[in-house]
Amino acid sequence: MFMRFFTEIQIPEFPDQMDYSKSMMFLGSCFSENIGQKLIDLKFDVDMNPFGILYNPESIANSLRILLEKRVFTEDDLFQDQGLWNSFYHHSRFSDVDRDSALEKINKRISSSNEFLKRADFLVITFGTAWVYELRKTGQIVSNCHKIPAAEFKRFRLGVFEVTNVYRELLEQIWKFNPDLKVIFTVSPIRHWKDGAIENQLSKATLLLAIDNLIKGFGDKSCSYFPSYEIVMDELRDYRFYADDMLHISPVAVDYIFERFSKAAITGASRDISKSMLKINKAMSHRPVNPNTTEFKKFLEQTLALINRMSEQFPIVNLNAERNYFEQELEKL
């Protein structure tokens, strides 16, 4: 009898799957960054975190509302601290020493992501924590505290029905904006240890229950859930799958979760294309000890031939940058 040495999460294929002809927006915590970046590297059409990394459901909801209305940020929406202009709606990657430059980055991204969301086929939302920070002087739940003293914020945990009600209304607005959009929810497997061990579990439970309410309410044809949290807790429950801080997950764990995500959410044909794309990516990162060899020239020619075959077979995948790279490498020899 075959013995299983771990508890495997059963993940059925999604009724609607991603492929190279589809567009996907990823919003939320580090899981969105990890999975979204892998898809970008494989040349899928992805818009990833147009406000930067977001952790709580309210901040993600605020970001989606801003995209829907295509809001234009002004200087009144920014504040200066320690030489940087920041937005409480944005990650620090949008901060800048120059106020106009910060506004330009913010507004350009809102404009392009509004257009992307309008035509997107999938929206993947990753909740990280139900704990939020509310700026005392304005009552705004912030996306990023930007190292402002903790005394200026009120910290509390959102409730299950609070999150459910916010997203019930928000998703209806989104589907008026883009009726064909499919929504996939996930909960980040990364523990927010600063919240406390028990508080973290209560937070994750809140998020899971809210998502369950939404899927039951709207139906699994409109909303789906991918169990990234459960995969780490049950299949990868060993510290060898964690980074040095014992909280974030390791690259091996990210690769494993992405593999499970791909099998559930991406068509078999597109997974086959992505395997060839992965070969091209590895070839681009290859650095020979001595480039002036016939073997390296042959390697470049074979990779260029693969790119040309893929371009002919799958014209939807833009490989111009990769083709130019290998043509230039051949010209150097």
Side-chain angles (χ1 to χ4, degrees), residues 259-302:
E259 183 179 344
R260 298 299 306 277
F261 180 82
S262 298
K263 287 181 179 178
I266 300 176
T267 64
S270 286
R271 292 202 306 271
D272 289 339
I273 297 172
S274 67
K275 290 176 184 176
S276 296
M277 193 63 234
L278 188 60
K279 291 180 182 178
I280 294 171
N281 287 344
K282 288 182 177 179
M284 288 187 71
S285 63
H286 175 64
R287 297 294 180 267
V289 176
N290 188 342
N292 298 313
T293 62
T294 55
E295 287 81 5
F296 182 60
K297 182 180 180 182
K298 185 178 180 181
F299 166 79
L300 295 175
E301 290 172 341
Q302 288 175 341

Side-chain angles (χ1 to χ4, degrees), residues 231-247:
I231 288 172
V232 172
M233 294 301 106
D234 284 287
E235 293 190 19
L236 305 180
R237 51 183 177 185
D238 188 304
Y239 278 109
R240 66 194 168 108
F241 295 113
Y242 285 81
D244 291 343
D245 64 3
M246 299 297 142
L247 298 173

